[in-house]
């Protein structure tokens, strides 16, 4: 049980209570899974779950004259199946495939927003996911590839009203096609030279999500890119450890342009972020480690936005992020 209250604002000072609620959310599920090892290489998995979800809002004060008292929303329990297979090609690599369904009811924070309004019309998201993957791990090399197709109905999206409050609504169905790939290689490991360890890795995410069937009043957004999702993201890292307990971390992140409204008329520009961190770790006692570090974030001094507001009133899309900035610190680790 959670208490939630909203107050009026009089010159920055909390005024009288506008909304007062007691919130109660209930969730539960039953899950069972069976596995068959048909051969030494072939593993079959079957799963079945049933989900239960409901919430209750006891509105005790409504200064706008709205209804008070207990209001409830209960979602019908659903059976959610899952089917997966895993085939070992050899001791280093395997193929996998799965088909699974999903059910995600709105959270109580989406139904009762932070400014006090209630939306009992939100429906639960439901979807089916098809996935195919390959994994390889041999010596110092690791590779993981995944392709998926996720069909989601009653997709919950956000918009911002004229008071700047983030609200939620169902946006019909979406098609979510994607590719995810991660690769890393350890060039030097446990060396006695100046460079003791050296590892590089990259992770690529391709999320090509579109609205399948989405209409808002007279507007038809079907076929548009899903709001707030970058189609291409690449993160690369280099981690090095040197003699003398010194380390260096380099990171690079590329984020493709992001649609900020359902009409796809406004986008966040693509940007690159580079970070560097240099540190020193030394044992200062039998049970004490001392770490001193310094670094730079946004080395290229990119102008970009984080935490964008989607579908905002008045075109207030952007939340500017820090430009180039520096940091340093010290950490003491006690083992006991």
């Amino acid at each position: 049980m959670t208490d939630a209250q909203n107050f009026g604002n009089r010159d920055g000072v909390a005024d009288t209570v506008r909304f007062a609620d007691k919130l109660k959310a209930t969730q539960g599920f039953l899950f069972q899974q069976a596995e068959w090892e048909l051969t030494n290489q072939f593993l079959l998995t079957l799963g079945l779950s049933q989900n239960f979800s409901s919430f209750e809002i006891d509105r005790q004060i409504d200064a706008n004259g709205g209804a008070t008292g207990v209001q409830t929303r209960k979602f019908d329990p659903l059976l959610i199946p899952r089917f997966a297979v895993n085939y070992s090609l050899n001791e280093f690599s395997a193929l996998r495939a799965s088909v699974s369904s999903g059910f995600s009811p709105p959270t109580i924070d989406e139904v009762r927003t932070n400014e006090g309004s209630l939306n009992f019309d939100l429906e639960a998201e439901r979807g089916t996911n098809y996935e195919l993957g390959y994994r390889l791990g041999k010596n110092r090399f690791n590779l993981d590839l995944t392709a998926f197709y996720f069909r989601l109905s009653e997709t919950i999206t956000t918009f911002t009203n004229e008071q700047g409050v983030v609200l939620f609504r169902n946006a019909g169905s979406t098609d979510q096609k994607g590719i995810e790939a991660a690769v890393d290689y350890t060039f030097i490991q446990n060396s006695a030279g100046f460079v003791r360890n050296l590892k590089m890795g990259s992770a690529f995410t391709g999320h090509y999500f579109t609205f399948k069937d989405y209409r808002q009043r007279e507007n038809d957004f079907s076929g548009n890119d899903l709001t707030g999702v970058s189609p291409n993201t690449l993160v690369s890292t280099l981690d090095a450890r040197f003699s003398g307990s010194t380390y260096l971390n380099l990171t690079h992140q590329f984020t493709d342009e992001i649609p900020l409204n359902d009409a796809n008329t406004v986008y966040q520009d693509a940007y690159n972020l580079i970070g560097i961190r240099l540190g020193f770790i030394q044992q200062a006692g039998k049970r004490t480690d001392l770490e001193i570090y310094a670094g730079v974030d946004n080395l290229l001094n990119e102008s970009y936005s984080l935490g964008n507001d989607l579908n905002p009133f008045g075109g207030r899309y952007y939340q500017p992020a820090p430009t180039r900035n520096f940091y340093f610190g010290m950490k003491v680790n006690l083992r006991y």
Side-chain angles (χ1 to χ4, degrees):
M1 183 74 71
T2 302
D3 291 327
Q5 294 179 323
N6 294 85
F7 296 84
N9 186 339
R10 187 181 296 274
D11 298 327
V13 179
D15 199 5
T16 55
V17 176
R18 293 178 51 79
F19 303 103
D21 300 295
K22 289 187 176 296
L23 313 175
K24 180 181 179 180
T26 303
Q27 289 185 327
F29 69 92
L30 299 174
F31 177 76
Q32 54 187 346
Q33 179 171 295
E35 294 185 349
W36 288 272
E37 190 172 348
L38 302 179
T39 68
N40 290 334
Q41 296 174 295
F42 193 79
L43 178 67
L44 174 66
T45 302
L46 295 176
L48 188 66
S49 64
Q50 189 168 24
N51 295 266
F52 306 87
S53 180
S54 65
F55 52 80
E56 177 182 290
I57 299 178
D58 183 3
R59 173 138 292 185
Q60 300 177 328
I61 298 175
D62 191 324
N64 291 341
T68 57
V70 177
Q71 302 181 66
T72 61
R73 179 69 187 277
K74 184 177 181 180
F75 297 91
D76 295 331
L78 292 178
L79 287 173
I80 308 298
R82 181 178 185 270
F83 172 81
V85 294
N86 189 89
Y87 182 76
S88 297
L89 300 173
N90 49 51
E91 60 179 313
F92 308 113
S93 63
L95 291 171
R96 65 184 185 276
S98 65
V99 180
S100 58
S101 297
F103 169 79
S104 178
T107 66
I108 201 166
D109 291 328
E110 293 171 338
V111 174
R112 199 272 189 194
T113 56
N114 59 8
E115 107 297 0
S117 64
L118 303 178
N119 183 3
F120 285 90
D121 295 326
L122 277 178
E123 298 291 341
E125 297 179 315
R126 301 182 183 183
T128 303
N129 186 62
Y130 306 87
E131 186 173 304
L132 180 65
Y134 170 76
R135 178 171 294 173
L136 169 66
K138 185 176 182 180
N139 300 327
R140 301 178 181 182
F141 180 75
N142 294 287
L143 174 66
D144 199 330
L145 302 173
T146 301
F148 66 88
Y149 171 63
F150 185 41
R151 177 68 182 271
L152 186 65
S153 61
E154 300 295 350
T155 308
I156 295 177
T157 62
T158 65
F159 68 101
T160 307
N161 66 9
E162 58 272 19
Q163 284 80 40
V165 178
V166 176
L167 303 175
F168 303 86
R169 62 192 177 199
N170 291 109
S173 61
T174 58
D175 275 340
Q176 303 186 18
K177 305 178 182 70
I179 299 173
E180 297 176 350
V183 58
D184 64 73
Y185 184 76
T186 302
F187 293 91
I188 300 174
Q189 188 173 35
N190 300 324
S191 170
F194 174 68
V195 181
R196 302 296 176 87
N197 290 276
L198 180 63
K199 180 179 179 180
M200 293 185 66
S202 289
F204 171 77
T205 301
H207 285 171
Y208 311 114
F209 300 171
T210 59
F211 291 112
K212 179 69 175 179
D213 180 17
Y214 178 29
R215 292 174 176 82
Q216 281 288 332
R217 300 182 181 89
E218 70 279 2
N219 298 313
D220 186 357
F221 301 128
S222 303
N224 285 7
D225 295 332
L226 186 62
T227 317
V229 177
S230 171
N232 300 293
T233 303
L234 177 66
V235 178
S236 299
T237 61
L238 185 149
D239 298 316
R241 287 189 175 272
F242 308 97
S243 61
S245 302
T246 303
Y247 68 85
L248 175 68
N249 303 133
L250 297 176
T251 60
H252 168 255
Q253 175 183 329
F254 167 77
T255 301
D256 208 347
E257 60 181 13
I258 303 172
L260 300 182
N261 61 2
D262 296 341
N264 289 178
T265 58
V266 178
Y267 282 78
Q268 153 76 56
D269 292 337
Y271 58 88
N272 290 274
L273 297 179
I274 293 179
I276 301 175
R277 174 168 168 156
L278 180 66
F280 171 81
I281 300 177
Q282 181 64 52
Q283 186 172 344
K286 291 184 178 180
R287 298 183 178 182
T288 305
D289 293 329
L290 175 65
E291 178 180 359
I292 301 173
Y293 58 88
V296 184
D297 282 333
N298 193 5
L299 180 65
L300 300 179
N301 205 31
E302 287 269 65
S303 296
Y304 69 105
S305 174
L306 283 180
N308 299 301
D309 290 333
L310 307 179
N311 299 301
F313 178 84
R316 299 189 292 264
Y317 295 96
Y318 304 104
Q319 302 287 344
T323 54
R324 184 187 299 116
N325 58 93
F326 303 85
Y327 64 90
F328 65 92
M330 182 176 67
K331 183 190 299 183
V332 178
N333 182 37
L334 299 177
R335 299 186 302 275
Y336 55 90

PDB file of all heavy atoms in Angstrom, residues 282-290 332-335:
ATOM      1  N   GLN A 282      45.948   0.437  -5.738  1.00  0.00           N
ATOM      2  CA  GLN A 282      47.084  -0.025  -4.941  1.00  0.00           C
ATOM      3  C   GLN A 282      46.579  -0.617  -3.629  1.00  0.00           C
ATOM      4  O   GLN A 282      45.663  -0.056  -3.000  1.00  0.00           O
ATOM      5  CB  GLN A 282      48.045   1.125  -4.646  1.00  0.00           C
ATOM      6  CG  GLN A 282      49.273   0.727  -3.846  1.00  0.00           C
ATOM      7  CD  GLN A 282      50.167  -0.251  -4.603  1.00  0.00           C
ATOM      8  OE1 GLN A 282      50.537   0.010  -5.743  1.00  0.00           O
ATOM      9  NE2 GLN A 282      50.505  -1.363  -3.979  1.00  0.00           N
ATOM     10  N   GLN A 283      47.148  -1.727  -3.242  1.00  0.00           N
ATOM     11  CA  GLN A 283      46.813  -2.303  -1.950  1.00  0.00           C
ATOM     12  C   GLN A 283      47.490  -1.481  -0.862  1.00  0.00           C
ATOM     13  O   GLN A 283      48.717  -1.343  -0.826  1.00  0.00           O
ATOM     14  CB  GLN A 283      47.272  -3.762  -1.879  1.00  0.00           C
ATOM     15  CG  GLN A 283      46.824  -4.467  -0.613  1.00  0.00           C
ATOM     16  CD  GLN A 283      47.127  -5.963  -0.654  1.00  0.00           C
ATOM     17  OE1 GLN A 283      47.390  -6.514  -1.717  1.00  0.00           O
ATOM     18  NE2 GLN A 283      47.109  -6.608   0.504  1.00  0.00           N
ATOM     19  N   ALA A 284      46.664  -0.897   0.023  1.00  0.00           N
ATOM     20  CA  ALA A 284      47.187  -0.019   1.065  1.00  0.00           C
ATOM     21  C   ALA A 284      47.328  -0.724   2.402  1.00  0.00           C
ATOM     22  O   ALA A 284      47.759  -0.126   3.376  1.00  0.00           O
ATOM     23  CB  ALA A 284      46.273   1.202   1.220  1.00  0.00           C
ATOM     24  N   GLY A 285      46.949  -1.955   2.471  1.00  0.00           N
ATOM     25  CA  GLY A 285      47.049  -2.731   3.705  1.00  0.00           C
ATOM     26  C   GLY A 285      46.576  -4.144   3.427  1.00  0.00           C
ATOM     27  O   GLY A 285      46.223  -4.498   2.302  1.00  0.00           O
ATOM     28  N   LYS A 286      46.566  -4.976   4.472  1.00  0.00           N
ATOM     29  CA  LYS A 286      46.150  -6.357   4.272  1.00  0.00           C
ATOM     30  C   LYS A 286      44.705  -6.448   3.793  1.00  0.00           C
ATOM     31  O   LYS A 286      44.344  -7.363   3.057  1.00  0.00           O
ATOM     32  CB  LYS A 286      46.334  -7.143   5.577  1.00  0.00           C
ATOM     33  CG  LYS A 286      47.793  -7.361   5.962  1.00  0.00           C
ATOM     34  CD  LYS A 286      47.892  -8.225   7.212  1.00  0.00           C
ATOM     35  CE  LYS A 286      49.350  -8.489   7.571  1.00  0.00           C
ATOM     36  NZ  LYS A 286      49.472  -9.330   8.792  1.00  0.00           N
ATOM     37  N   ARG A 287      43.864  -5.522   4.231  1.00  0.00           N
ATOM     38  CA  ARG A 287      42.438  -5.571   3.896  1.00  0.00           C
ATOM     39  C   ARG A 287      41.945  -4.283   3.246  1.00  0.00           C
ATOM     40  O   ARG A 287      40.748  -4.028   3.206  1.00  0.00           O
ATOM     41  CB  ARG A 287      41.613  -5.848   5.153  1.00  0.00           C
ATOM     42  CG  ARG A 287      41.924  -7.193   5.798  1.00  0.00           C
ATOM     43  CD  ARG A 287      41.022  -7.443   6.987  1.00  0.00           C
ATOM     44  NE  ARG A 287      41.277  -8.752   7.573  1.00  0.00           N
ATOM     45  CZ  ARG A 287      40.597  -9.252   8.622  1.00  0.00           C
ATOM     46  NH1 ARG A 287      39.629  -8.512   9.181  1.00  0.00           N
ATOM     47  NH2 ARG A 287      40.892 -10.441   9.085  1.00  0.00           N
ATOM     48  N   THR A 288      42.842  -3.499   2.746  1.00  0.00           N
ATOM     49  CA  THR A 288      42.451  -2.194   2.201  1.00  0.00           C
ATOM     50  C   THR A 288      43.035  -1.991   0.811  1.00  0.00           C
ATOM     51  O   THR A 288      44.220  -2.234   0.583  1.00  0.00           O
ATOM     52  CB  THR A 288      42.930  -1.056   3.123  1.00  0.00           C
ATOM     53  OG1 THR A 288      42.444  -1.277   4.449  1.00  0.00           O
ATOM     54  CG2 THR A 288      42.423   0.289   2.614  1.00  0.00           C
ATOM     55  N   ASP A 289      42.179  -1.564  -0.114  1.00  0.00           N
ATOM     56  CA  ASP A 289      42.606  -1.164  -1.455  1.00  0.00           C
ATOM     57  C   ASP A 289      42.274   0.305  -1.661  1.00  0.00           C
ATOM     58  O   ASP A 289      41.206   0.784  -1.251  1.00  0.00           O
ATOM     59  CB  ASP A 289      41.885  -1.990  -2.534  1.00  0.00           C
ATOM     60  CG  ASP A 289      42.306  -3.448  -2.508  1.00  0.00           C
ATOM     61  OD1 ASP A 289      43.462  -3.716  -2.145  1.00  0.00           O
ATOM     62  OD2 ASP A 289      41.477  -4.307  -2.839  1.00  0.00           O
ATOM     63  N   LEU A 290      43.186   1.016  -2.280  1.00  0.00           N
ATOM     64  CA  LEU A 290      42.997   2.428  -2.571  1.00  0.00           C
ATOM     65  C   LEU A 290      42.983   2.631  -4.086  1.00  0.00           C
ATOM     66  O   LEU A 290      43.874   2.150  -4.792  1.00  0.00           O
ATOM     67  CB  LEU A 290      44.123   3.257  -1.945  1.00  0.00           C
ATOM     68  CG  LEU A 290      44.127   4.759  -2.253  1.00  0.00           C
ATOM     69  CD1 LEU A 290      42.894   5.434  -1.649  1.00  0.00           C
ATOM     70  CD2 LEU A 290      45.406   5.406  -1.759  1.00  0.00           C
ATOM     71  N   VAL A 332      38.071   3.913  -1.440  1.00  0.00           N
ATOM     72  CA  VAL A 332      38.735   3.042  -0.480  1.00  0.00           C
ATOM     73  C   VAL A 332      37.867   1.803  -0.311  1.00  0.00           C
ATOM     74  O   VAL A 332      36.684   1.903  -0.005  1.00  0.00           O
ATOM     75  CB  VAL A 332      38.948   3.750   0.866  1.00  0.00           C
ATOM     76  CG1 VAL A 332      39.595   2.784   1.877  1.00  0.00           C
ATOM     77  CG2 VAL A 332      39.809   4.992   0.704  1.00  0.00           C
ATOM     78  N   ASN A 333      38.460   0.643  -0.518  1.00  0.00           N
ATOM     79  CA  ASN A 333      37.748  -0.621  -0.402  1.00  0.00           C
ATOM     80  C   ASN A 333      38.291  -1.410   0.791  1.00  0.00           C
ATOM     81  O   ASN A 333      39.490  -1.706   0.861  1.00  0.00           O
ATOM     82  CB  ASN A 333      37.919  -1.443  -1.685  1.00  0.00           C
ATOM     83  CG  ASN A 333      37.153  -2.756  -1.627  1.00  0.00           C
ATOM     84  OD1 ASN A 333      36.068  -2.829  -1.078  1.00  0.00           O
ATOM     85  ND2 ASN A 333      37.738  -3.805  -2.198  1.00  0.00           N
ATOM     86  N   LEU A 334      37.407  -1.695   1.737  1.00  0.00           N
ATOM     87  CA  LEU A 334      37.787  -2.431   2.939  1.00  0.00           C
ATOM     88  C   LEU A 334      37.243  -3.858   2.823  1.00  0.00           C
ATOM     89  O   LEU A 334      36.059  -4.067   2.569  1.00  0.00           O
ATOM     90  CB  LEU A 334      37.225  -1.760   4.203  1.00  0.00           C
ATOM     91  CG  LEU A 334      37.693  -0.324   4.463  1.00  0.00           C
ATOM     92  CD1 LEU A 334      37.013   0.233   5.691  1.00  0.00           C
ATOM     93  CD2 LEU A 334      39.222  -0.261   4.620  1.00  0.00           C
ATOM     94  N   ARG A 335      38.098  -4.855   3.032  1.00  0.00           N
ATOM     95  CA  ARG A 335      37.690  -6.256   2.999  1.00  0.00           C
ATOM     96  C   ARG A 335      37.685  -6.809   4.422  1.00  0.00           C
ATOM     97  O   ARG A 335      38.673  -6.715   5.146  1.00  0.00           O
ATOM     98  CB  ARG A 335      38.670  -7.064   2.134  1.00  0.00           C
ATOM     99  CG  ARG A 335      38.736  -6.602   0.694  1.00  0.00           C
ATOM    100  CD  ARG A 335      39.620  -7.561  -0.141  1.00  0.00           C
ATOM    101  NE  ARG A 335      40.974  -7.651   0.388  1.00  0.00           N
ATOM    102  CZ  ARG A 335      41.941  -6.793   0.092  1.00  0.00           C
ATOM    103  NH1 ARG A 335      41.700  -5.757  -0.710  1.00  0.00           N
ATOM    104  NH2 ARG A 335      43.154  -6.944   0.614  1.00  0.00           N
TER     105      ARG A 335
END
